[in-house]
């Protein structure tokens, strides 16, 4: 059978992966701090005898778009938008250190400051634990302050400081839980120069229109590969008929 059918089927499988990536990006177009996933592929000629007329499309790697999303002021005391190339350090489900740009924080029933996904936010000595409070605020340097329960504003105390880090220009990868990690898994040092914008959130950097266009283009390319497979099947059937006549 013509090798076209195998190449078309392999390309269709790659397009299915690309479609899943685009669909995931579109689904997170309104997720705070979300960074769009990227998928790279290249054209590779099939080596061997004959004309160079068969081309594979192997995936060369996956990454993420680290560009910043738009700033949205919310007025909520536990919302923060990380400035520049910084990120918030959190404790992943496996106990390792991970990072996120999603600053829509909350306080768990246990008093632990955590992300909207339920991951504890790290401070200088581990997860930040807040005592019962009347009010809470987060400063531009990531300092978390509370007015203890039953007391007035003059009794405000500092609970701790959110661990903020500077992400390297490259070498960051996205985990299955949506958090960011270094390529080697090593934790990043705290950077006192990184700040936050209180009562604001960084929106997703996904363009809903762009993701939709990508899904349409990928769908059309997938249909093209299906037609190529059908064409290869018809060619094979015609060849079989000719061989049977000659026989």
């Amino acid at each position: 059978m013509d090798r076209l059918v195998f190449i078309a089927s392999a390309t269709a499988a790659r397009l299915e992966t690309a479609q899943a990536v685009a669909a995931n990006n579109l689904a997170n177009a309104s997720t705070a701090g979300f960074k769009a996933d990227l998928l790279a592929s290249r054209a590779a000629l099939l080596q061997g005898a004959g004309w160079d007329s068969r081309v594979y499309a192997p995936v060369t790697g996956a990454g993420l778009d680290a560009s910043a999303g738009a700033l949205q002021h919310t007025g909520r005391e536990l919302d923060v938008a990380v400035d520049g190339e910084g990120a918030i350090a959190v404790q992943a489900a496996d106990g390792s250190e991970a990072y996120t740009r999603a600053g829509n924080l909350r306080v768990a029933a246990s008093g632990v400051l955590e992300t909207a996904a339920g991951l504890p936010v790290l401070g200088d000595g581990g997860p930040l634990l807040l005592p019962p409070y009347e009010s809470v605020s987060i400063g531009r340097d990531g300092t978390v302050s509370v007015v203890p329960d039953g007391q007035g504003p003059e009794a405000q105390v500092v609970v701790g400081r959110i661990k903020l880090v500077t992400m390297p220009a490259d070498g960051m990868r996205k985990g299955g839980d949506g958090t960011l990690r270094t390529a080697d898994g090593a934790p990043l040092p705290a950077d006192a120069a990184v700040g936050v914008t209180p009562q604001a959130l960084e929106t997703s950097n996904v363009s809903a229109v762009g993701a939709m266009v990508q899904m349409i283009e990928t769908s059309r390319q997938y249909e093209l590969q299906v037609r190529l497979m059908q064409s290869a099947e018809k060619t094979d059937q015609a060849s079989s008929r000719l061989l049977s006549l000659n026989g």
Side-chain angles (χ1 to χ4, degrees):
M1 184 180 291
D2 194 297
R3 289 174 293 184
L4 171 62
V5 68
F6 299 105
I7 294 176
S9 62
T11 303
R14 301 295 181 270
L15 289 170
E16 286 182 348
T17 302
Q19 186 79 326
V21 170
N24 181 64
N25 287 339
L26 183 61
N28 287 280
S30 59
T31 301
F34 181 82
K35 300 302 179 186
D37 292 311
L38 302 175
L39 190 68
S41 62
R42 64 182 179 87
L45 289 173
L46 179 64
Q47 302 297 318
W51 298 100
D52 292 335
S53 58
R54 301 294 184 262
V55 182
Y56 279 103
V59 174
T60 58
L64 57 92
D65 180 1
S67 62
L71 192 67
Q72 178 183 25
H73 291 276
T74 65
R76 182 172 173 268
E77 292 178 331
L78 288 176
D79 284 345
V80 292
V82 186
D83 299 335
E85 303 299 323
I88 298 170
V90 297
Q91 186 178 69
D94 61 1
S96 62
E97 184 170 308
Y99 309 97
T100 181
R101 296 274 294 187
N104 47 339
L105 309 180
R106 66 187 185 189
V107 179
S110 60
V112 174
L113 184 66
E114 62 182 22
T115 66
L119 299 178
V121 175
L122 297 178
D124 296 329
L128 283 171
L129 182 65
L130 278 63
Y133 59 85
E134 291 285 343
S135 64
V136 59
S137 62
I138 301 177
R140 289 190 171 275
D141 62 350
T143 298
V144 181
S145 303
V146 300
V147 173
D149 196 14
Q151 300 190 37
E154 69 282 352
Q156 186 180 61
V157 295
V158 174
V159 175
R161 183 176 184 270
I162 297 173
K163 181 180 178 180
L164 301 171
V165 302
T166 297
M167 294 188 295
D170 53 14
M172 298 297 292
R173 59 182 179 84
K174 187 181 293 187
D177 56 0
T179 59
L180 305 176
R181 302 167 186 264
T182 56
D184 58 2
L188 295 171
D191 189 346
V194 179
V196 299
T197 300
Q199 300 185 17
L201 288 176
E202 178 189 1
T203 61
S204 170
N205 67 352
V206 174
S207 167
V209 174
M212 183 64 72
V213 170
Q214 183 181 359
M215 290 184 65
I216 294 173
E217 291 179 346
T218 304
S219 178
R220 289 176 177 173
Q221 292 172 7
Y222 182 86
E223 292 173 358
L224 174 60
Q225 302 307 314
V226 173
R227 289 198 295 269
L228 287 174
M229 286 186 278
Q230 293 171 342
S231 176
E233 181 182 13
K234 291 178 180 178
T235 301
D236 183 65
Q237 290 172 350
S239 299
S240 298
R241 286 194 298 268
L242 287 173
L243 290 173
S244 63
L245 290 175
N246 293 333

